[in-house]
Amino acid sequence: MSPQDYRALSSRDVPMRVIVCGLHRTGTMSIRSALWQLGFHDCYHMASVRQSQHHAQLWIRALEAKYSGKGSFIKADWDALLGQSQACCDIPAALFSAELSEVYPEAKVIILNRDPEEWYESVLNSIYNLSILVTLGRIYCRIFDPQTYNMWQFNVVMRSQAMGFNHPKEREKAVSWFNAQYEEFRDRIPPERRIEYTIQEGWKPLCEHLGVPIPTVKDLTTGELVEAPFPRVNDRKAFALRRQRSQKRAISRANTNLLAGVGSITLAGSICYGVYFVWKALTARPGRI
C-alpha cells in the first residue's frame, strides 16, 4: 500500500496516553507489563512489530523520513501505526520519542533509564548472543518466510540509519549513541511532562506520574489487599527462550512455504510433462505411438 492509502485508512481508536523513552534492554518488557496492569492497553513494543504484517514496512518509511530525509511521516501515519495503542516503549518507537511527544501533546512521558555500560553488556549478551545454528536458521527463514524477511529488512534499515555502529565491536560508539538518545529526550521534551525512572523504583513514582492507583492483590495468608509485585520480565534467560520460540515458529512457516513451493514445482513439472507427452502423441507419425 502507498503512504496515501495508509493515511486514508488511518484512525486512532484509543488515545495515546504514555510515551516511554526507553531503548531496548532497559526494562521495556517489564514496563510494558506494568502499564498493562495499570490499564494502558496496548503498549506498543518491538514485539508488536513482529505481530503485524505491514508494520515493518511502515517503520522503514518512518526511519527513512527521519534519518535520510526521504518522504515524510505525519500524524496520520502515526495514527495508522499506533492507533490501537495507548502507550509505546522500546525501539523502534523510542527512536521517535521526541517526535511522538509533539504529535501527542497530551501523553505523559517516562524516561526509562539504565546505566549505559550495563545496557551495552545486556545487549551484547542477549541480542547479539547468536550461535551458528541460530544464525543459519535465520538465513533459512529469511529465504523462505516473508515475515522473517520483512523483519530482517527493517532491522537492516534501523541499524544502518538510526544506529550506524557495530555493537559487538564498537563499544564506545554504542555507549555514545545510547547517551545521545537520552540527551535528545531531555532536550526536546519539556521537564514538566516527563519523569526520570528506573524499573528498580517500582510502582510508586510511576503511578504518581500517571495519576493512577498502585495495583493491589489479596494476600493469601491474611486476606488483606497488599501492593502487587512489580513485573520483572525478559531477563537474558527469558529473552533467549522467547527468541528460541519465535525462531521455531518462523522455521515452521518457512518449512510450510518450502513444501508448498516444492509441491507447486512438482505439479507444474507434471503438467508440462503431460502436455509434452500429448503433443508428442498428436504429432507422431502413425505407427510410432
Side-chain angles (χ1 to χ4, degrees):
M1 294 177 69
S2 69
Q4 290 74 22
D5 292 332
Y6 278 113
R7 289 167 184 169
L9 296 173
S10 70
S11 65
R12 173 147 289 283
D13 298 331
V14 293
M16 177 60 73
R17 300 169 63 192
V18 184
I19 296 168
V20 180
C21 307
L23 299 175
H24 50 305
R25 306 305 297 165
T26 58
T28 56
M29 189 64 81
S30 294
I31 201 166
R32 185 191 194 201
S33 299
L35 290 171
W36 180 272
Q37 285 185 238
L38 296 175
F40 298 94
H41 305 161
D42 183 27
C43 180
Y44 198 97
H45 185 275
M46 174 64 90
S48 309
V49 185
R50 299 188 182 96
Q51 293 166 1
S52 173
Q53 183 178 357
H54 304 295
H55 281 199
Q57 295 302 315
L58 284 173
W59 281 113
I60 288 175
R61 280 190 47 231
L63 289 161
E64 290 179 339
K66 176 172 181 174
Y67 295 100
S68 298
K70 181 180 177 181
S72 62
F73 211 81
I74 61 176
K75 186 178 186 299
D77 296 306
W78 289 118
D79 285 343
L81 188 55
L82 304 175
Q84 296 181 336
S85 300
Q86 295 190 52
C88 60
C89 68
D90 198 26
I91 57 172
L95 299 171
F96 299 88
S97 293
E99 289 84 357
L100 289 171
S101 70
E102 295 170 0
V103 171
Y104 303 114
E106 302 302 318
K108 295 187 177 181
V109 179
I110 300 163
I111 296 185
L112 183 60
N113 292 294
R114 186 173 188 179
D115 177 80
E117 296 293 337
E118 289 182 2
W119 167 81
Y120 177 85
E121 291 295 333
S122 179
V123 173
L124 183 66
N125 292 304
S126 56
I127 296 173
Y128 289 94
N129 185 18
L130 301 172
S131 67
I132 294 176
L133 286 177
V134 169
T135 302
L136 291 175
R138 285 187 168 190
I139 294 172
Y140 170 74
C141 293
R142 196 186 306 162
I143 296 170
F144 295 107
D145 176 37
Q147 185 175 334
T148 299
Y149 178 80
N150 279 339
M151 284 301 299
W152 170 78
Q153 189 180 41
F154 153 70
N155 274 298
V156 167
V157 172
M158 180 173 65
R159 289 175 181 175
S160 63
Q161 297 203 17
M163 300 177 183
F165 57 86
N166 184 318
H167 192 97
K169 297 180 179 180
E170 297 180 306
R171 184 188 192 103
E172 289 186 7
K173 285 186 178 180
V175 171
S176 294
W177 174 83
F178 179 90
N179 289 329
Q181 299 305 303
Y182 281 83
E183 287 177 11
E184 181 184 14
F185 299 156
R186 297 182 180 103
D187 288 344
R188 295 182 58 183
I189 301 172
E192 61 271 17
R193 286 188 61 190
R194 56 180 167 84
I195 61 164
E196 302 283 340
Y197 179 76
T198 63
I199 291 298
Q200 290 73 23
E201 294 178 80
W203 291 115
K204 190 173 185 295
L206 181 64
C207 293
E208 286 179 353
H209 181 61
L210 298 178
V212 296
I214 294 175
T216 57
V217 294
K218 183 177 288 188
D219 187 288
L220 296 179
T221 303
T222 65
E224 297 180 353
L225 292 178
V226 296
E227 182 176 312
F230 192 89
R232 302 289 174 85
V233 297
N234 207 34
D235 58 15
R236 293 178 191 177
K237 185 177 180 180
F239 179 91
L241 182 60
R242 286 178 57 250
R243 180 163 62 185
Q244 183 181 33
R245 290 172 177 170
S246 177
Q247 185 156 41
K248 282 184 178 180
R249 291 192 294 269
I251 289 174
S252 177
R253 293 193 303 268
N255 289 341
T256 299
N257 293 335
L258 177 61
L259 290 174
V262 170
S264 298
I265 292 171
T266 302
L267 177 61
S270 299
I271 292 172
C272 290
Y273 180 77
V275 170
Y276 172 76
F277 182 81
V278 171
W279 176 78
K280 289 290 289 184
L282 293 175
T283 58
R285 294 178 182 178
R288 294 186 61 183
I289 299 179

